[in-house]
Amino acid sequence: MKYYSTNRKSPAVDFKEATIKGQAPDKGLYFPERIPAVDEDLIKRIGNLSNEEIAFHVIRPYTGNEIPEEKLFRIVSETVNFPMPLVQVNDSIWSLELFHGPTLAFKDVGARFMSRCLGYFLKDNEKKVTVLVATSGDTGGAVANGFYLTEGVDVVILYPSGKVSPVQEKQLTTLGGNIHALEVKGTFDDCQQMVKKAFANEEIQKKRFLTSANSINVARWLPQQFYYFFAYRQWPYKKDPPVISVPSGNFGNICAGILAQRSGLPVKHFIAACNVNDVVSGYLKTEVLKPKTAVSTWSNAMDVGNPSNFVRILEIFHHRFPDLKDHLSSCSISDEETLATINSVFREFKYLTDPHGAVGYEALNRFLKNEAAGKGIFLETAHPVKFPEAVEKATGRPVEILSSLAGLMKKDKQSVLMENDFNHFKEYLLY
Ligand SMILES: *Cc1c(COP(=O)(O)O)cnc(C)c1O
């Protein structure tokens, strides 16, 4: 499989190069030159297949012969080796729980797949690769965990001091080894700026081979298709496909879902569930995407004012607006509505959501009100325990700490405190 740049000014590359580079040199995102069709038989037999088998069949056309089948099977097995159950919440709404991985958010799948592919591709490389990543919270932990002890890879994570939750901070600062955490006295946008500047800096480029591990990387983006197949595998009404609501920030996850649908997975409709950082609803009304400065919300992993993966959604629909509008709706849920949803879903249905899942639930709930007998799924993208402050504020009860987290919380934080100044970061990377 070849991948072209959405800006169309760089040459097409294979999966290996797209994974190692991250972004195309012309600053476009890599996109597969064709969308492979899944075997009809796979859809028919999906209820009898294991998650490993499904994942292997879905991803194989994208990696082509660049990873031997046996190796690829091992990679996907390690990627999806935790449960992703579909849990019924009420008569019309199900939750696909994607938070049972090592860092309790869905990003584990993409991070694990990417780290293993990168490790495989770099096995004969002389030069070490440095993965740079800025995080508002969840990405850092998933990447740290996914890349921990991967040979030939150093990971440098920048996170905004005091702006990530205690669990998130421990997840990205306590591993040590090849994982290095920088605590920046600034915001997430400042961290991202520093990463961008590092990529553009020749001196650093000479000294280090840099790549990025956010969802623009195809090896992190493509495996997110798995969730949607796993959801359908567990869906009780195979003849009546679900509406799927995806809590969205950078739009990588929902874009992977639409890709899965395009390749033959039955899905009735997609809803991009956003917090108040919602530029896509505007796009769906006016056909113009107007980036905004992100504001902070309870669902902090979705505080994105210029979703980088949206261009890939346009690409899937060949930039045909009517086609896109048929398949995708969008809905914006405020912070007050998010907390009210956490509370009402907990009281009425005894189901506890995190703030991101609550946005997904409420967007779906509103959509289904206009659909007679409609049924759907929202993706529960993080465990409530990662956001105890919001959940406690919503329900008036403290969140029970998971026993698996007790050990983590006792570990010592290892991070380098850094001024919000690119020169300090540069010095750090050069020495
Ligand atoms: C990253 C994240 C999202 C947003 O996913 P995108 O692919 O960026 O749209 C939603 N929920 C949680 C918990 C996340 O960590």
PDB file of all heavy atoms in Angstrom, residues 411-422:
ATOM      1  N   LYS A 411       4.286   5.520  43.056  1.00  0.00           N
ATOM      2  CA  LYS A 411       5.591   5.644  42.397  1.00  0.00           C
ATOM      3  C   LYS A 411       6.051   7.101  42.356  1.00  0.00           C
ATOM      4  O   LYS A 411       5.235   8.022  42.340  1.00  0.00           O
ATOM      5  CB  LYS A 411       5.501   5.100  40.970  1.00  0.00           C
ATOM      6  CG  LYS A 411       5.434   3.598  40.914  1.00  0.00           C
ATOM      7  CD  LYS A 411       5.710   3.135  39.501  1.00  0.00           C
ATOM      8  CE  LYS A 411       5.494   1.647  39.393  1.00  0.00           C
ATOM      9  NZ  LYS A 411       5.092   1.261  38.039  1.00  0.00           N
ATOM     10  N   ASP A 412       7.380   7.284  42.295  1.00  0.00           N
ATOM     11  CA  ASP A 412       7.920   8.637  42.267  1.00  0.00           C
ATOM     12  C   ASP A 412       7.871   9.225  40.867  1.00  0.00           C
ATOM     13  O   ASP A 412       8.191   8.565  39.897  1.00  0.00           O
ATOM     14  CB  ASP A 412       9.380   8.630  42.741  1.00  0.00           C
ATOM     15  CG  ASP A 412       9.479   8.402  44.229  1.00  0.00           C
ATOM     16  OD1 ASP A 412       8.544   8.835  44.936  1.00  0.00           O
ATOM     17  OD2 ASP A 412      10.466   7.772  44.665  1.00  0.00           O
ATOM     18  N   LYS A 413       7.489  10.484  40.850  1.00  0.00           N
ATOM     19  CA  LYS A 413       7.469  11.202  39.577  1.00  0.00           C
ATOM     20  C   LYS A 413       8.897  11.538  39.155  1.00  0.00           C
ATOM     21  O   LYS A 413       9.692  12.012  39.948  1.00  0.00           O
ATOM     22  CB  LYS A 413       6.640  12.472  39.800  1.00  0.00           C
ATOM     23  CG  LYS A 413       6.890  13.634  38.880  1.00  0.00           C
ATOM     24  CD  LYS A 413       5.842  14.705  39.165  1.00  0.00           C
ATOM     25  CE  LYS A 413       6.380  16.097  38.843  1.00  0.00           C
ATOM     26  NZ  LYS A 413       5.442  17.161  39.234  1.00  0.00           N
ATOM     27  N   GLN A 414       9.232  11.248  37.910  1.00  0.00           N
ATOM     28  CA  GLN A 414      10.541  11.633  37.378  1.00  0.00           C
ATOM     29  C   GLN A 414      10.293  12.547  36.189  1.00  0.00           C
ATOM     30  O   GLN A 414       9.878  12.079  35.136  1.00  0.00           O
ATOM     31  CB  GLN A 414      11.309  10.409  36.868  1.00  0.00           C
ATOM     32  CG  GLN A 414      11.424   9.269  37.861  1.00  0.00           C
ATOM     33  CD  GLN A 414      12.001   8.031  37.184  1.00  0.00           C
ATOM     34  OE1 GLN A 414      12.957   8.097  36.419  1.00  0.00           O
ATOM     35  NE2 GLN A 414      11.398   6.884  37.439  1.00  0.00           N
ATOM     36  N   SER A 415      10.534  13.849  36.393  1.00  0.00           N
ATOM     37  CA  SER A 415      10.348  14.746  35.252  1.00  0.00           C
ATOM     38  C   SER A 415      11.330  15.897  35.357  1.00  0.00           C
ATOM     39  O   SER A 415      11.876  16.165  36.421  1.00  0.00           O
ATOM     40  CB  SER A 415       8.915  15.264  35.215  1.00  0.00           C
ATOM     41  OG  SER A 415       8.678  16.099  36.325  1.00  0.00           O
ATOM     42  N   VAL A 416      11.549  16.562  34.235  1.00  0.00           N
ATOM     43  CA  VAL A 416      12.413  17.738  34.205  1.00  0.00           C
ATOM     44  C   VAL A 416      11.503  18.947  34.071  1.00  0.00           C
ATOM     45  O   VAL A 416      10.727  19.041  33.117  1.00  0.00           O
ATOM     46  CB  VAL A 416      13.374  17.659  32.992  1.00  0.00           C
ATOM     47  CG1 VAL A 416      14.192  18.937  32.879  1.00  0.00           C
ATOM     48  CG2 VAL A 416      14.268  16.433  33.101  1.00  0.00           C
ATOM     49  N   LEU A 417      11.592  19.855  35.056  1.00  0.00           N
ATOM     50  CA  LEU A 417      10.774  21.061  35.000  1.00  0.00           C
ATOM     51  C   LEU A 417      11.418  22.027  34.010  1.00  0.00           C
ATOM     52  O   LEU A 417      12.632  22.253  34.057  1.00  0.00           O
ATOM     53  CB  LEU A 417      10.704  21.680  36.392  1.00  0.00           C
ATOM     54  CG  LEU A 417       9.668  22.788  36.600  1.00  0.00           C
ATOM     55  CD1 LEU A 417       8.257  22.266  36.378  1.00  0.00           C
ATOM     56  CD2 LEU A 417       9.785  23.387  37.995  1.00  0.00           C
ATOM     57  N   MET A 418      10.640  22.561  33.105  1.00  0.00           N
ATOM     58  CA  MET A 418      11.230  23.385  32.049  1.00  0.00           C
ATOM     59  C   MET A 418      10.472  24.689  31.850  1.00  0.00           C
ATOM     60  O   MET A 418       9.242  24.704  31.850  1.00  0.00           O
ATOM     61  CB  MET A 418      11.226  22.568  30.753  1.00  0.00           C
ATOM     62  CG  MET A 418      11.974  23.228  29.640  1.00  0.00           C
ATOM     63  SD  MET A 418      12.321  22.079  28.308  1.00  0.00           S
ATOM     64  CE  MET A 418      13.699  21.166  28.947  1.00  0.00           C
ATOM     65  N   GLU A 419      11.250  25.793  31.672  1.00  0.00           N
ATOM     66  CA  GLU A 419      10.609  27.068  31.358  1.00  0.00           C
ATOM     67  C   GLU A 419       9.944  26.952  29.996  1.00  0.00           C
ATOM     68  O   GLU A 419      10.361  26.168  29.148  1.00  0.00           O
ATOM     69  CB  GLU A 419      11.664  28.192  31.292  1.00  0.00           C
ATOM     70  CG  GLU A 419      12.355  28.505  32.606  1.00  0.00           C
ATOM     71  CD  GLU A 419      11.378  28.977  33.681  1.00  0.00           C
ATOM     72  OE1 GLU A 419      10.390  29.662  33.344  1.00  0.00           O
ATOM     73  OE2 GLU A 419      11.611  28.636  34.856  1.00  0.00           O
ATOM     74  N   ASN A 420       8.930  27.779  29.780  1.00  0.00           N
ATOM     75  CA  ASN A 420       8.260  27.792  28.490  1.00  0.00           C
ATOM     76  C   ASN A 420       9.117  28.609  27.515  1.00  0.00           C
ATOM     77  O   ASN A 420       8.819  29.747  27.197  1.00  0.00           O
ATOM     78  CB  ASN A 420       6.872  28.408  28.669  1.00  0.00           C
ATOM     79  CG  ASN A 420       6.132  28.517  27.361  1.00  0.00           C
ATOM     80  OD1 ASN A 420       6.505  27.890  26.369  1.00  0.00           O
ATOM     81  ND2 ASN A 420       5.090  29.335  27.348  1.00  0.00           N
ATOM     82  N   ASP A 421      10.229  28.008  27.085  1.00  0.00           N
ATOM     83  CA  ASP A 421      11.206  28.723  26.267  1.00  0.00           C
ATOM     84  C   ASP A 421      11.881  27.695  25.360  1.00  0.00           C
ATOM     85  O   ASP A 421      12.514  26.753  25.849  1.00  0.00           O
ATOM     86  CB  ASP A 421      12.221  29.391  27.222  1.00  0.00           C
ATOM     87  CG  ASP A 421      13.349  30.084  26.470  1.00  0.00           C
ATOM     88  OD1 ASP A 421      13.498  29.866  25.246  1.00  0.00           O
ATOM     89  OD2 ASP A 421      14.085  30.844  27.118  1.00  0.00           O
ATOM     90  N   PHE A 422      11.737  27.876  24.084  1.00  0.00           N
ATOM     91  CA  PHE A 422      12.233  26.879  23.143  1.00  0.00           C
ATOM     92  C   PHE A 422      13.730  26.603  23.317  1.00  0.00           C
ATOM     93  O   PHE A 422      14.190  25.477  23.142  1.00  0.00           O
ATOM     94  CB  PHE A 422      11.938  27.306  21.698  1.00  0.00           C
ATOM     95  CG  PHE A 422      12.478  26.329  20.687  1.00  0.00           C
ATOM     96  CD1 PHE A 422      11.953  25.046  20.582  1.00  0.00           C
ATOM     97  CD2 PHE A 422      13.541  26.680  19.860  1.00  0.00           C
ATOM     98  CE1 PHE A 422      12.465  24.131  19.665  1.00  0.00           C
ATOM     99  CE2 PHE A 422      14.053  25.764  18.942  1.00  0.00           C
ATOM    100  CZ  PHE A 422      13.513  24.492  18.845  1.00  0.00           C
TER     101      PHE A 422
END
